[in-house]
Amino acid sequence: MVRQERALRTRRLILEAAASVFDEFGYEGATIGEVVSRAGVTRGAVYFHFASKRDLAQGVVEEQFAQDEVPERACKLQEFVDTGMVVAHLLPRDPLLSAGARLSLGQDVFDEFGGGAILGWISRFEVLLVAAGERGELLPHVTPADAAWLLTAAWTGVQIQSQKLSGRADLERRVAGLFQHVMPSIAVPGVLGALQMGPDRGARVVAEAAAARAASEGDADGSGGSGGNAAEVEAHAVGGAVAVS
């Protein structure tokens, strides 16, 4: 068990180092040597976990789906919005998310990874929209599969444009604007009026998830939850995972 935990920590350390390298240099410019240097591990350790640079990049792309700490909501459209807003909050702060976006959208590697995380996010959003439809939250004309495809494309476009024009400094505001414009065409009026879609929504959900996790860990060890500090909130939220990319 100790050896397994150590191996998981090493793998995560390598992925985080690789993410910073891919985010900075892109796929073509990244090297295993730079990953080794930043992770502080041996080249053998990297190849123990990842057979090649391509395998390592694929691991970075997939890591965003390794965990899901967006709290489950009775209102699935709020959960849908929360997912997008949390990623908007974390994308400028989390190298794993940022690198996943670059690897998924970079023209030099798009075919290599089959669209990266795009199909995964379409599927994830479709699941939420199907659940929303089952709860009577969607307008009659809404088809979950089509809406998930379009919303993922729109989110991706907002992310790219925000990065180009402001270095993602306005990403949360722009994604909130996207939801505020689109959700009236999806949600029934009674649900729409209750949706929280402000630019600060992602930060608040991240803090909520961190507080719940701290309380759970405190209950498990009998020490009570400490709530965690801001750095811990950012480091653990939503599994590194997600850019919508």
Side-chain angles (χ1 to χ4, degrees):
M1 183 65 69
V2 172
R3 181 177 299 175
Q4 183 180 30
E5 291 176 354
R6 186 183 303 117
L8 289 173
R9 288 196 298 270
T10 300
R11 185 181 188 276
R12 177 71 183 190
L13 183 66
I14 292 168
L15 281 174
E16 290 175 347
S20 70
V21 174
F22 286 127
D23 198 31
E24 183 175 346
F25 298 106
Y27 181 76
E28 292 299 329
T31 66
I32 294 294
E34 184 64 23
V35 174
V36 167
S37 176
R38 295 193 185 189
V41 299
T42 65
R43 187 175 292 265
V46 173
Y47 283 116
F48 175 80
H49 290 280
F50 303 97
S52 64
K53 184 170 79 168
R54 184 195 184 284
D55 192 31
L56 183 55
Q58 188 68 48
V60 170
V61 170
E62 293 174 353
E63 183 65 16
Q64 57 196 281
F65 299 109
Q67 300 182 58
D68 181 0
E69 294 192 32
V70 175
E72 185 174 356
R73 309 292 186 194
C75 175
K76 289 302 170 182
L77 283 184
Q78 184 64 67
E79 192 174 337
F80 178 85
V81 170
D82 287 353
T83 299
M85 291 306 304
V86 164
V87 176
H89 176 70
L90 293 176
L91 190 59
R93 299 167 170 83
D94 189 331
L96 273 166
L97 283 172
S98 185
R102 180 165 183 171
L103 290 168
S104 296
L105 299 172
Q107 292 302 308
D108 55 338
V109 294
F110 187 85
D111 292 337
E112 181 85 5
F113 298 111
I118 293 174
L119 293 178
W121 282 108
I122 292 173
S123 177
R124 178 169 173 176
F125 281 157
E126 182 178 353
V127 168
L128 288 172
L129 290 172
V130 167
E134 292 171 348
R135 288 163 171 75
E137 299 173 11
L138 301 180
L139 292 169
H141 70 274
V142 177
T143 303
D146 292 342
W149 195 101
L150 290 169
L151 263 295
T152 303
W155 201 110
T156 300
V158 169
Q159 188 271 131
I160 292 172
Q161 190 149 304
S162 174
Q163 181 178 7
K164 296 291 186 183
L165 298 180
S166 74
R168 297 187 181 133
D170 65 350
L171 182 57
E172 290 176 87
R173 178 168 63 88
R174 297 300 184 183
V175 172
L178 171 66
F179 281 122
Q180 290 161 12
H181 280 79
V182 171
M183 295 311 288
S185 68
I186 293 178
V188 298
V191 171
L192 179 64
L195 290 178
Q196 299 183 45
M197 300 181 284
D200 66 337
R201 180 62 183 173
R204 290 191 288 117
V205 173
V206 166
E208 176 190 352
R213 183 177 56 254
S216 177
E217 291 172 353
D219 290 342
D221 64 18
S223 63
S226 63
N229 59 35
E232 290 169 337
V233 167
E234 301 293 356
H236 290 88
V238 195
V242 354
V244 175
S245 50

